[in-house]
Amino acid sequence: MIDVVIKIKIEKLKKIMIDAHKLFGNIDIYLFDQILKNRFLQGSKILDVGCGGGRNLVYFLQNGFDVFGIDQNPDAIEQVKYLAQNLAPDLSIENFLTSSAENMPFKDDYFDLVICSAVLHFAQSEEHFYTMFNEMWRVLKKGGMFFSRLASTIGIEDKVQLIGDRRYLIPDGSERFLVDEKMLIDLTEKIGGTFLEPIKTTNVQNLRCMTTWVICKTK
């Protein structure tokens, strides 16, 4: 009898997991947290910078948001167009473009949300980092949200090796542009942004640290 109950519970759990994947895809857990907090109004304009195949866009495509995405990889853009055609057939596939983050073909103050997940830590220098960030900030409306996940030194300061210009060799063997808490706080203040969440960092077995930076454009 106990075995039967366990099997039923396992099957129910599997169904919940399948349903959740249909609703949200392989979404970044910290972006999912913002959805749970009702941060986004239906119909808002959303841009995913470095969207890849659209892992963070499934929920938005299925729920009436005006979704845009850019990526430097044309194959990724073809994938996200296919995803959009299936989940939001009324949305123009011209919203998804092959483009760099440094020079995007959008008007100033255009988007309510800019998503930038695992992009900024590929900056080649501080100048490159600020060029990418300033372009994303340019297209964000006043009152809009900027959501970013990026690698940082936070929590592994003694385990990273500086190569130069904020690029580091990190314990997982890769080279990344790394921010720290002071840099994010100073930059947020400089641009007139407001923190919507405290800076949160996940330490992955001391191999790398990923920081969540969520701010509102208030000026």
Side-chain angles (χ1 to χ4, degrees):
M1 181 64 181
I2 294 176
D3 288 344
V4 172
V5 171
I6 291 173
K7 286 180 180 178
I8 291 172
K9 287 183 177 180
I10 289 173
E11 289 305 313
K12 285 183 177 179
L13 181 59
K14 286 181 179 178
K15 185 179 185 304
I16 290 170
M17 292 172 68
I18 291 170
D19 289 344
H21 192 267
K22 286 181 180 178
L23 289 172
F24 299 102
N26 189 27
I27 193 170
D28 183 297
I29 189 66
Y30 293 96
L31 182 58
F32 176 66
D33 179 52
Q34 299 304 305
I35 292 171
L36 292 179
K37 291 174 179 175
N38 292 317
R39 299 277 198 199
F40 314 119
L41 294 175
Q42 195 173 45
S44 297
K45 286 188 182 298
I46 292 173
L47 172 65
D48 189 350
V49 178
C51 61
R55 65 179 288 262
N56 283 318
L57 296 176
V58 171
Y59 168 81
F60 298 107
L61 288 168
Q62 294 185 108
N63 286 279
F65 292 85
D66 194 6
V67 181
F68 292 71
I70 67 152
D71 200 284
Q72 293 189 96
N73 184 345
D75 291 336
I77 291 300
E78 289 306 311
Q79 290 176 36
V80 76
K81 283 181 177 180
Y82 178 79
L83 180 71
Q85 284 177 312
N86 282 275
L87 299 182
D90 293 333
L91 189 71
S92 173
I93 60 171
E94 300 306 314
N95 288 7
F96 304 97
L97 304 168
T98 302
S99 171
S100 69
E102 299 95 317
N103 186 24
M104 297 187 289
F106 303 116
K107 298 176 183 178
D108 295 356
D109 310 310
Y110 193 66
F111 295 101
D112 300 289
L113 166 65
V114 173
I115 301 167
C116 177
S117 185
V119 172
L120 286 168
H121 54 231
F122 291 109
Q124 296 302 306
S125 64
E126 283 199 64
E127 181 181 3
H128 188 206
F129 174 91
Y130 287 117
T131 298
M132 287 193 289
F133 173 76
N134 289 337
E135 182 71 349
M136 290 182 250
W137 197 248
R138 176 186 70 78
V139 302
L140 184 66
K141 291 179 182 177
K142 184 177 180 180
M145 177 195 288
F146 176 74
F147 173 93
S148 183
R149 289 267 288 159
L150 68 170
S152 75
T153 63
I154 300 169
I156 54 170
E157 292 88 348
D158 60 338
K159 296 178 174 61
V160 295
Q161 179 182 340
L162 179 64
I163 298 168
D165 216 353
R166 278 197 170 271
R167 286 187 61 81
Y168 291 80
L169 178 64
I170 62 177
D172 69 4
S174 63
E175 293 182 17
R176 295 287 184 266
F177 182 97
L178 302 183
V179 299
D180 56 34
E181 184 176 296
K182 184 178 186 304
M183 180 180 178
L184 295 181
I185 291 173
D186 288 350
L187 178 53
T188 302
E189 290 178 353
K190 180 179 179 181
I191 60 177
T194 301
F195 283 97
L196 293 174
E197 298 278 350
I199 294 170
K200 299 174 183 176
T201 300
T202 302
N203 185 320
V204 185
Q205 288 191 314
N206 287 321
L207 293 174
R208 62 185 177 279
C209 283
M210 292 294 293
T211 291
T212 306
W213 182 28
V214 186
I215 56 178
C216 177
K217 187 175 185 177
T218 49
K219 290 185 180 179

